[in-house]
Amino acid sequence: MTADRNLRVHVTRPIPDQALDYLKGQGLDVTCPADDGPPSREELLSSVEDAEAILSILTEKIDGEVFERARRLKVVSNMAVGYDNIDVPEATRRGVAVCNTPGVLTDTTADFAWALLMAAARRVVECHRFVQDGRWEWWGPKMMMGADVHGKTLGIVGFGKIGQAVARRATGFDMKVLYSGETAPETSKWGEKVSFSDLLQSSDFVSLHVPYRPSTHHLIGREQLHLMKKTGFLINTARGAVVNEEQLVEALESGEIAGAGLDVFEKEPQVHPGLHRLNVVLAPHAASASLATRAKMATMAAENLVAVLRGEEPQAIVNPEVLEQCQSPK
Ligand code: DGY
C-alpha cells in the first residue's frame, strides 16, 4: 500500500477467520498472535511498534503508552461497541481514528440480557445443578419456586439500541416497560420514560444498558439498590463498573434485592467472591458471543480499519473530528 512496504495491521487476538482473511486480502501486512489468551503488556507494546492500524478487543488497554510506541498509528478499530478500553481523547489529540462496532451485536446482546433475566428469576442454573448433581429425589410443591416474569415491570436504564431491543422483547411477556436515561427519547412505543429513581422503585427487573464513562461509574450503588424492590432483580450486560460490586454483594446478602444476572464485572475476569451465590447467575462477558455476531463484529472492525487506511469513511467512528482534520484543507 506504500512504495516501500505494505501497511501493517496488528490484530491483538485471534478473531473469526473471515475477518482475518479479509484483512490479508487487502494487501496489508497482518500480524496476529496464535494464542487465544491476552498478550502481556510488553508483547502488546512491541507488536504495535511499526503498525499503522490496531484491531483491538475490549480487554486491551490502548492508552498513551501504546500511542507513544505506535508512532505510525492511524486507526484503532475495536471489535466491540464499547470503547472504554481506549483513551479516545489521547487518540484524537494524536490524530488517530477510533472505530467501534455498534448495531451488529444489538439483538444478540438483548437476547442474552433476557437469558440472564429468565435464568435469575426462574432459578434455571440452580435447577440444572440440582438435577445434574443427582439431588432430585422427589417432586415437591414448594421446590424451586422463583419469580414470575410475565406481567411484571421491566426497567431499562439507558435506552439506546440494545436497551430498546430488550424492551421490544418484553411485549411477548405482557410486561410494562419503563426506561430512563439522559439521552433517551422522550417517548417510545416500547415503554414509558420515567426518572431513574422512579424506575428503580417501580421495576421488578432492572436491566442496565448504559456505556461506561465517568458519569456512569457506580451508577448503581447502595442507595440505588435500596430503592429497588426487595423482590427485584438486577441484570447487567453493560459494563461491570456501572455497578458498585461490593455494595451489590451487601444488598444481596441483606435481602435488599432478590437476585441478579451478571455478564460483566468490575475487575474481569475476577468475580467478587460474594457474588458466588445461588440467587446470582454469572456469565463471562458473553452477551455478544453468538457465532454469527462475533463474525459480524470482527468483519465490521476489519472493514472500519481498512476504510480509515484508505481515507474513506468507516461505518462507525467514535472521533469523527480526526477524519475531518485529515480532509480539511490546510
Ligand atoms: C461490547 O461490544 O462492548 C461488548 O461488551 C462485547 O461484545
Side-chain angles (χ1 to χ4, degrees):
M1 276 199 183
T2 61
D4 53 339
R5 77 195 240 298
N6 289 341
L7 296 182
R8 209 168 83 64
V9 176
H10 183 64
V11 181
T12 63
R13 297 288 188 92
I15 55 174
D17 287 346
Q18 50 269 68
L20 219 44
D21 292 346
Y22 166 77
L23 287 174
K24 289 177 184 161
Q26 302 303 307
L28 298 163
D29 177 7
V30 182
T31 54
C32 177
D35 287 345
D36 281 329
S40 69
R41 186 71 179 164
E42 194 38 52
E43 278 163 351
L44 175 70
L45 291 171
S46 60
S47 318
V48 300
E49 246 162 21
D50 57 350
E52 274 82 9
I54 301 175
L55 194 153
S56 53
I57 61 148
L58 57 92
T59 54
E60 259 75 87
K61 203 168 159 53
I62 309 294
D63 57 7
E65 192 181 17
V66 172
F67 295 124
E68 201 46 47
R69 290 284 280 269
R71 301 302 286 259
R72 306 169 81 125
L73 199 61
K74 294 189 167 40
V75 54
V76 177
S77 190
N78 220 28
M79 185 187 142
V81 62
Y83 46 86
D84 46 290
N85 56 311
I86 302 171
D87 184 341
V88 179
E90 184 59 21
T92 308
R93 205 178 65 72
R94 292 171 180 260
V96 175
V98 176
C99 298
N100 66 338
T101 62
V104 290
L105 48 83
T106 300
D107 285 306
T108 301
T109 304
D111 289 349
F112 201 79
W114 268 91
L116 289 177
L117 186 157
M118 297 292 293
R122 298 301 308 275
R123 303 169 65 175
V124 174
V125 177
E126 203 182 332
C127 285
H128 172 84
R129 282 204 201 131
F130 185 68
V131 175
Q132 198 177 46
D133 296 350
R135 284 184 285 134
W136 186 24
E137 288 169 4
W138 37 260
W139 187 90
K142 295 206 282 187
M143 254 170 63
M144 294 295 167
M145 296 188 297
D148 267 330
V149 174
H150 67 273
K152 294 293 182 70
T153 298
L154 171 62
I156 300 182
V157 181
F159 210 56
K161 286 194 175 76
I162 300 175
Q164 292 182 35
V166 171
R168 285 199 299 277
R169 285 155 174 74
T171 56
F173 286 86
D174 294 326
M175 293 176 94
K176 176 173 179 180
V177 175
L178 304 176
Y179 66 91
S180 69
E182 275 170 26
T183 56
E186 285 313 307
T187 58
S188 164
K189 66 175 175 179
W190 305 114
E192 180 191 342
K193 187 171 184 181
V194 295
S195 70
F196 183 39
S197 56
D198 282 353
L199 181 145
L200 294 170
Q201 280 168 322
S202 310
S203 300
D204 299 294
F205 301 93
V206 173
S207 192
L208 305 178
H209 300 286
V210 288
Y212 179 69
R213 29 184 81 131
S215 60
T216 57
H217 180 77
H218 289 180
L219 185 69
I220 301 284
R222 188 174 291 121
E223 200 185 313
Q224 293 71 29
L225 292 160
H226 182 67
L227 286 179
M228 282 179 63
K229 295 182 181 183
K230 290 208 171 351
T231 51
F233 289 82
L234 180 72
I235 310 300
N236 191 6
T237 52
R239 283 291 182 268
V242 172
V243 176
N244 183 324
E245 227 161 67
E246 192 69 47
Q247 294 178 6
L248 173 61
V249 168
E250 281 169 27
L252 287 160
E253 273 168 3
S254 64
E256 287 271 9
I257 66 168
L262 306 173
D263 184 43
V264 286
F265 303 89
E266 279 202 77
K267 295 193 183 113
E268 295 174 10
Q270 289 167 44
V271 174
H272 191 298
L275 292 173
H276 291 278
R277 314 168 49 86
L278 287 178
N279 57 347
V280 180
V281 177
L282 305 168
H285 203 144
S288 67
S290 76
L291 282 169
T293 291
R294 286 287 162 87
K296 285 186 204 158
M297 291 165 70
T299 302
M300 184 172 177
E303 288 174 352
N304 283 338
L305 178 154
V306 169
V308 174
L309 291 182
R310 284 192 184 140
E312 295 164 5
E313 200 160 320
Q315 297 163 70
I317 177 156
V318 174
N319 55 353
E321 59 273 35
V322 166
L323 297 188
E324 285 153 24
Q325 278 160 21
C326 299
Q327 282 155 7
S328 62
K330 297 248 154 68

